Amino acid sequence: MTPAPYRFQQLSREDFESLAAGHPGVVIPLEQTPYWADFETRLGRDPYGIWAYYDGGKLVATASYLRSRRRLRPSLVVVNGPTWFTERTPEAEARLVATVQEQFRADPAVDPLYVRMQVEHVQPPVAGPLEHGWYEREIVVDLTPDTDKIFAAFRPNARNLIRKAEKLGVEVRAVEREQWADVFRTELFPIMQETAARDGFSSFDSAFYETLLTELGDHLRLMVAYVDGKPVSWLITTEYRGYAVYYFAASSRDARKTNAPYLLLWEAFKILKDAGNTACGLTGIESENYPSLANVTTFKRNFSKTVVTVPTTYDIPLHPLRYRALATALRVRRDAPGLLRRAAARIRRPDAKAGRD
C-alpha cells in the first residue's frame, strides 16, 4: 500500500527565513538554505527551489533541490538533506519518499530519472545509489564547555602537537574579508594544489573557492597558519544558526613539519565558540563507502570522540525501468575491467603450466 503523501509548498526566501526562525532548535545545514542556492547559481548550476512538506498543518521536513543534467541521468539532488522538523520515523520517511515521487512525476517543468537525497530507513522504492554523494560519518566537537575543557578533551597527541606548533612560531591569522578572494587565489590555492597532488584527489579550481568566499561570506571564516610570514596551512569554516562546519582545508609540507594544522584548528574552535557556535562538525571520516577518508580520519579523531552517523544518500527512481537499465549498464562498465583482468589471468595460467612441463 502506497503511503499517503504529504502536502507540499514551494518556499520563497522570506517563507524559508520565517519558517527557520520559528524552529530555532533545528539544525538546518547551510546546503539546505537559499544562500547556498545562490552560491550554486553563481557557479552556473541550476537550483530548482526549496519545498516544505506538511502533515496537515504540522511541518515535517524541507528540501532544497539542485537540478542535474548529466547524460542519460537527469535528476534532482538534495545536498545534505532533507532537513527534518519532526521525528524521522520509517513511516514518516516512507511518506516523504512517496510524496517526492508524486510531486516530480507531476511537475511538467522537470522530468528527472530519479531524486537523490539522504534516507535513513531504506525501503522500496528507494534504490542505489548510482554513485555515492555525501559522507556517512563525521566527528563533531562540542563547543559548549569552556576552552580549557575543550582542549583537555583532545587526545594527548593533539595537545602536544598544538604546544609544539606554538613553540615553533606558527602564527594563526583570520584574513580580512575584503581580501579573501585575492589572498586565496595568490597564496592559498597553490597549497590546495600541493595537498591534492600529495593525497591523490582532485580539487576544485580556484574560481570555485573564490565564488564560495564571495557569495557565502556572511557564513564563512577563512583562517591561515603562517611560518616565518609564509602561509603553510588554511581552513574555511561555515556557520549557520549556531552550528559550524570545518569545510575545506589544505596544508603544505612545511605545515606538517611544524604541526600547523593542529594549532590552526584549535584557534578556529576558539573563534567559533566566541561567535556563539555550540558545535563544529569536522565533515567526513572513513566509512564503508568512503574508505579513502582513512587519512583524514586519523587527524580528526584527535579532537573529539563523538562520531555522528549521517544518513546515506540514496536514489528515489521516478522511472523504475529506465533507472534499473541504467544501473545495470553502469555496473557492467564499472566491473568490466576487473572481469577482463581475471579472464586474462585464467588464460595465462595454463600457458605457464605448459611451459613448466
Side-chain angles (χ1 to χ4, degrees), residues 139-155:
I139 301 287
V140 176
V141 178
D142 182 6
L143 299 180
T144 56
D146 62 46
T147 52
D148 288 343
K149 290 182 178 178
I150 294 173
F151 187 78
F154 296 167
R155 285 183 173 178

Side-chain angles (χ1 to χ4, degrees), residues 175-190 206-207 209-211 213-214 222 224 226 231:
V175 179
E176 294 296 328
R177 181 170 171 178
E178 60 270 17
Q179 299 176 342
W180 281 359
D182 288 340
V183 169
F184 189 89
R185 184 187 316 110
T186 58
E187 300 181 24
L188 306 184
F189 185 64
S206 184
Y209 301 99
E210 293 170 46
T211 303
L213 292 165
T214 301
L222 173 61
V224 184
Y226 295 84

Side-chain angles (χ1 to χ4, degrees), residues 262-340:
Y262 289 86
L263 179 60
L264 176 60
L265 190 51
W266 169 227
E267 293 297 327
F269 289 151
K270 290 188 284 186
I271 289 175
L272 293 169
K273 175 180 173 60
D274 288 344
N277 294 284
T278 59
C280 181
L282 302 188
T283 64
I285 60 171
E286 183 181 16
S287 65
E288 179 181 355
N289 293 308
Y290 293 94
S292 61
L293 295 177
N295 288 339
V296 295
T297 300
T298 302
F299 172 71
K300 293 174 183 179
R301 282 189 180 278
N302 280 290
F303 299 98
S304 176
K305 296 178 181 178
T306 303
V307 178
V308 175
T309 299
V310 179
T312 298
T313 299
Y314 287 94
D315 297 338
I316 303 170
L318 274 62
H319 303 283
L321 293 179
R322 283 170 48 199
Y323 180 89
R324 286 197 293 271
L326 177 61
T328 299
L330 292 174
R331 184 170 58 252
V332 169
R333 187 176 70 177
R334 183 176 59 247
D335 295 344
L339 293 172
L340 290 173

Side-chain angles (χ1 to χ4, degrees), residues 53-335:
Y53 298 87
Y54 296 89
D55 186 4
K58 182 180 180 181
L59 177 64
V60 175
T62 60
S64 179
Y65 295 90
L66 181 66
R67 195 171 184 177
S68 173
R69 292 183 171 89
R70 294 180 66 183
R71 183 172 177 268
L72 300 178
R73 54 176 113 169
S75 63
L76 291 171
V77 180
V78 181
V79 180
N80 196 19
T83 302
W84 284 82
F85 291 78
T86 188
E87 186 179 359
R88 191 176 194 162
T89 64
E91 295 75 19
E93 201 161 52
R95 288 184 67 184
L96 181 61
V97 167
T99 303
V100 167
Q101 281 190 312
E102 179 179 297
Q103 174 185 356
F104 292 111
R105 279 174 176 162
D107 187 340
V110 289
D111 184 24
L113 178 61
Y114 57 88
V115 175
R116 176 165 293 167
M117 63 171 56
Q118 292 169 339
V119 178
E120 183 172 345
H121 308 285
V122 180
Q123 51 192 311
V126 173
L130 297 179
E131 62 272 311
H132 292 281
W134 199 256
Y135 55 82
E136 299 162 328
R137 299 168 72 228
E138 75 166 331
I139 301 287
V140 176
V141 178
D142 182 6
L143 299 180
T144 56
D146 62 46
T147 52
D148 288 343
K149 290 182 178 178
I150 294 173
F151 187 78
F154 296 167
R155 285 183 173 178
N157 177 64
R159 298 198 299 269
N160 290 335
L161 293 178
I162 289 168
R163 295 186 184 106
K164 287 181 179 179
E166 291 173 327
K167 291 178 181 178
L168 290 170
V170 176
E171 179 187 2
V172 175
R173 305 178 205 161
V175 179
E176 294 296 328
R177 181 170 171 178
E178 60 270 17
Q179 299 176 342
W180 281 359
D182 288 340
V183 169
F184 189 89
R185 184 187 316 110
T186 58
E187 300 181 24
L188 306 184
F189 185 64
I191 300 175
M192 173 56 85
Q193 291 176 303
E194 178 184 339
T195 302
R198 181 185 64 233
D199 295 346
F201 66 88
S202 297
S203 74
F204 297 106
D205 60 21
S206 184
F208 172 91
Y209 301 99
E210 293 170 46
T211 303
L212 176 83
L213 292 165
T214 301
E215 187 62 41
L216 286 169
D218 289 345
H219 304 284
L220 303 182
R221 294 181 193 274
L222 173 61
M223 298 181 63
V224 184
Y226 295 84
V227 175
D228 296 329
K230 177 184 176 182
V232 296
S233 183
W234 58 264
L235 61 77
I236 294 172
T237 59
T238 65
E239 297 170 62
Y240 184 59
R241 290 162 57 92
Y243 190 86
V245 178
Y246 169 65
Y247 217 95
F248 292 113
S251 60
S252 67
R253 184 181 300 274
D254 289 338
R256 295 189 166 197
K257 293 177 182 177
T258 58
N259 309 309
Y262 289 86
L263 179 60
L264 176 60
L265 190 51
W266 169 227
E267 293 297 327
F269 289 151
K270 290 188 284 186
I271 289 175
L272 293 169
K273 175 180 173 60
D274 288 344
N277 294 284
T278 59
C280 181
L282 302 188
T283 64
I285 60 171
E286 183 181 16
S287 65
E288 179 181 355
N289 293 308
Y290 293 94
S292 61
L293 295 177
N295 288 339
V296 295
T297 300
T298 302
F299 172 71
K300 293 174 183 179
R301 282 189 180 278
N302 280 290
F303 299 98
S304 176
K305 296 178 181 178
T306 303
V307 178
V308 175
T309 299
V310 179
T312 298
T313 299
Y314 287 94
D315 297 338
I316 303 170
L318 274 62
H319 303 283
L321 293 179
R322 283 170 48 199
Y323 180 89
R324 286 197 293 271
L326 177 61
T328 299
L330 292 174
R331 184 170 58 252
V332 169
R333 187 176 70 177
R334 183 176 59 247
D335 295 344

